[in-house]
Amino acid sequence: MAEFKRSRLARKSDEEITKKTIFLGLMTVVVFLAIMLFGLPLLVKFSIFLGEAKIRGNKDDKEKVLPPRPPRMVLPFEATNTAKININGFAEANVWVELLKNDVSIGKTQVGDTGEFRFGEIELNEGENEFSSIATTDDGGSSEVSKIVKITFDDKAPEFEMLNPKEAELTVDSADFDVIGKSEKGVSVSINGRMAMVDDEGGFKLKIQLNAGKNNVEVVVKDLAGNEQKKKITLTYDF
């Protein structure tokens, strides 16, 4: 029985080898006839055409899956008291950059070979303005929306009040005096050129040394946009 199985497997293997041999022989005949009918140069050109088509296809696929990177905008400040600003940035060379303010398109420019772009004289709305951008290519490729940058337009001087002293003129009997006041969040305060401590709520305080007689004190409060307000106080040290 075992001998019968081995003999059957051997015949099957021989049949497969015979089929492969016949198939290869037929393929050889087909190639030979094609060369005879169309000539070898035509077959070579056809092979080159197929190769170039494959390369073009791979190139097109690569361009489709690699859109431009999002632009990067640069703003040197978070707030300004100027109604118009310039926005600079960087993107891939020769792409187009579209600028959006509060999600509304306001302009488009082409990036140069250096990768730099610039939008000039951009008008700001009062309060906070949000800017974003998108890079596009001539063949329709588009980037994701860039990171949002924010800038606040504020042209009003910060309000503040003096808590110590409350009067514009005051006579004291001590050389040490605490200048205390209250303003807005985020301001900076200088008193006679020295920076005062300012808390998260805009409260400020600075201890100063008075000379005998009259002392002129100037308090300057400045916000992030560059607006400032001043007050002058006269403190008389009478010992």
Side-chain angles (χ1 to χ4, degrees):
M1 187 67 177
E3 290 293 335
F4 175 76
K5 282 186 176 182
R6 283 195 295 271
S7 177
R8 185 177 179 183
L9 290 173
R11 287 196 302 272
K12 187 174 182 181
S13 177
D14 292 339
E15 290 175 358
E16 291 178 354
I17 293 173
T18 302
K19 289 179 180 180
K20 290 180 179 179
T21 302
I22 295 172
F23 176 77
L24 291 174
L26 290 174
M27 289 299 297
T28 302
V29 172
V30 169
V31 171
F32 178 77
L33 290 175
I35 293 173
M36 293 295 294
L37 292 174
F38 303 106
L40 183 60
L42 182 61
L43 291 180
V44 172
K45 289 180 181 180
F46 182 69
S47 299
I48 293 173
F49 171 76
L50 291 177
E52 290 178 348
K54 184 177 181 181
I55 292 173
R56 287 195 298 269
N58 291 338
K59 183 178 180 181
D60 292 341
D61 291 342
K62 185 177 181 180
E63 291 177 350
K64 290 179 181 178
V65 299
L66 291 176
R69 292 187 296 272
R72 182 168 62 89
M73 295 177 292
V74 179
L75 287 177
F77 37 71
E78 297 178 1
T80 181
N81 55 13
T82 304
K84 294 183 179 181
I85 64 169
N86 298 326
I87 296 179
N88 300 321
F90 301 92
E92 294 181 23
N94 303 318
V95 301
W96 289 89
V97 174
E98 183 177 10
L99 181 66
L100 296 90
K101 183 179 76 172
N102 301 328
D103 294 328
V104 177
S105 176
I106 59 173
K108 198 172 185 180
T109 187
Q110 189 170 26
V111 182
D113 293 335
T114 62
E116 298 177 313
F117 65 86
R118 179 178 182 272
F119 291 92
E121 296 294 302
I122 302 299
E123 293 189 3
L124 298 176
N125 300 332
E126 186 175 353
E128 187 176 77
N129 298 260
E130 292 187 349
F131 291 97
S132 58
S133 57
I134 299 173
T136 58
T137 58
D138 291 332
D139 60 3
S142 178
S143 74
E144 296 181 356
V145 179
S146 70
K147 180 181 178 181
I148 294 176
V149 294
K150 300 179 181 180
I151 184 169
T152 300
F153 170 45
D154 177 12
D155 60 355
K156 297 179 176 60
E159 297 291 336
F160 74 96
E161 63 175 323
M162 296 303 304
L163 303 178
N164 188 46
K166 292 187 176 182
E167 306 88 345
E169 295 186 10
L170 181 67
T171 299
V172 298
D173 58 3
S174 174
D176 295 333
F177 189 86
D178 289 329
V179 179
I180 303 173
K182 173 75 174 177
S183 186
E184 306 170 359
K185 293 182 179 180
V187 298
S188 61
V189 180
S190 65
I191 300 172
N192 284 356
R194 294 174 55 197
M195 299 305 297
M197 293 183 60
V198 183
D199 62 29
D200 294 338
E201 300 301 320
F204 60 87
K205 178 180 179 179
L206 181 69
K207 182 183 290 292
I208 62 175
Q209 292 287 321
L210 301 177
N211 298 319
K214 288 187 176 182
N215 296 262
N216 295 321
V217 178
E218 183 179 60
V219 180
V220 181
V221 177
K222 183 182 291 187
D223 63 19
L224 290 174
N227 305 297
E228 65 179 30
Q229 186 172 170
K230 302 177 181 180
K231 285 185 179 180
K232 291 184 177 181
I233 304 164
T234 300
L235 298 175
T236 301
Y237 173 34
D238 185 2
F239 60 96

